[in-house]
């Protein structure tokens, strides 16, 4: 396998911007796409691990950005690929080579919008099994609103 990805989706009430419970009929429509049994995909998907808790006190600011119009997707907020770009840029700033990446786990927490000032914070450590380096990422607004947490792993 060259790459594997999983996603978890939620239903949001656009008026209240709160999570909603999907009607059973809607859930049943997508039962064939469930990855609980990944054998139908012909490959075994990795299960998401728990991301380490990272606070600004435990990390260093690697880079800062101001959200530009080109960062905004059709939903009016920063697109997922832009966040990935910010994460990978911060890994490169930590001395990692992108051709050595072995995994990337991302947990999106909150949207951000045009003009917001963003900080990418990182904390690096050797992988527990000694196979390379792991970087914990925290992407937040300058005011401290957490936008996402992530962990990237790089083989030696």
């Amino acid at each position: 396998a060259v790459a594997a990805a999983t996603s978890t989706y939620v239903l949001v009430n656009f008026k209240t911007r709160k999570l909603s419970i999907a009607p059973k009929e809607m859930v049943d429509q997508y039962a064939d796409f469930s990855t609980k049994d990944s054998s139908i995909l012909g490959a075994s998907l990795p299960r998401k691990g728990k991301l380490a808790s990272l606070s600004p006190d435990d990390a260093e600011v690697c880079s800062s950005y101001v959200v530009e119009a080109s960062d905004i997707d059709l939903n009016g907020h920063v697109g997922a690929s832009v966040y990935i770009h910010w994460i990978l840029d911060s890994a490169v700033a930590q001395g990692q080579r992108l051709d050595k990446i072995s995994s990337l786990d991302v947990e999106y927490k909150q949207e951000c919008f045009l003009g917001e000032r963003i900080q990418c914070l990182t904390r690096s450590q050797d992988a527990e099994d000694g196979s390379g380096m792991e970087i914990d990422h925290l992407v937040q607004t300058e005011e401290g609103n957490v936008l996402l947490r992530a962990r990237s792993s790089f083989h030696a």
Side-chain angles (χ1 to χ4, degrees):
V2 175
T6 59
S7 296
T8 302
Y9 295 93
V10 295
L11 187 63
V12 177
N13 180 317
F14 281 117
K15 290 181 183 174
T16 64
R17 299 192 63 82
K18 303 277 186 208
L19 296 180
S20 297
I21 296 174
K24 182 178 180 336
E25 311 81 59
M26 184 182 289
V27 172
D28 290 345
Q29 281 185 330
Y30 296 97
D32 291 345
F33 300 102
S34 172
T35 58
K36 289 180 181 163
D37 175 13
S38 60
S39 65
I40 62 171
L41 302 174
S44 149
L45 294 175
R47 290 291 165 207
K48 184 179 178 328
K50 183 158 174 61
L51 294 175
S53 178
L54 180 62
S55 75
D57 298 334
D58 300 332
E60 62 179 275
V61 176
C62 267
S63 48
S64 298
Y65 301 92
V66 175
V67 177
E68 300 176 2
S70 60
D71 298 329
I72 303 300
D73 66 13
L74 294 174
N75 293 315
H77 51 75
V78 171
S81 63
V82 175
Y83 290 110
I84 302 300
H85 179 82
W86 292 341
I87 291 168
L88 295 177
D89 272 357
S90 65
V92 169
Q94 293 294 309
Q96 297 304 311
R97 291 181 27 197
L98 295 183
D99 63 336
K100 300 284 187 181
I101 193 165
S102 57
S103 69
L104 177 63
D105 286 330
V106 182
E107 183 177 279
Y108 296 96
K109 298 297 224 176
Q110 183 176 320
E111 304 164 334
C112 71
F113 303 94
L114 184 64
E116 288 194 83
R117 296 181 178 280
I118 307 304
Q119 296 176 328
C120 295
L121 297 92
T122 61
R123 176 181 62 199
S124 301
Q125 64 270 338
D126 291 329
E128 289 181 19
D129 63 3
S131 63
M133 180 69 63
E134 294 179 337
I135 303 175
D136 292 317
H137 304 267
L138 178 65
V139 178
Q140 65 181 22
T141 63
E142 277 189 349
E143 297 78 28
N145 296 324
V146 175
L147 304 174
L148 69 79
R149 295 181 319 135
R151 171 171 277 180
S152 57
S153 299
F154 297 84
H155 55 80

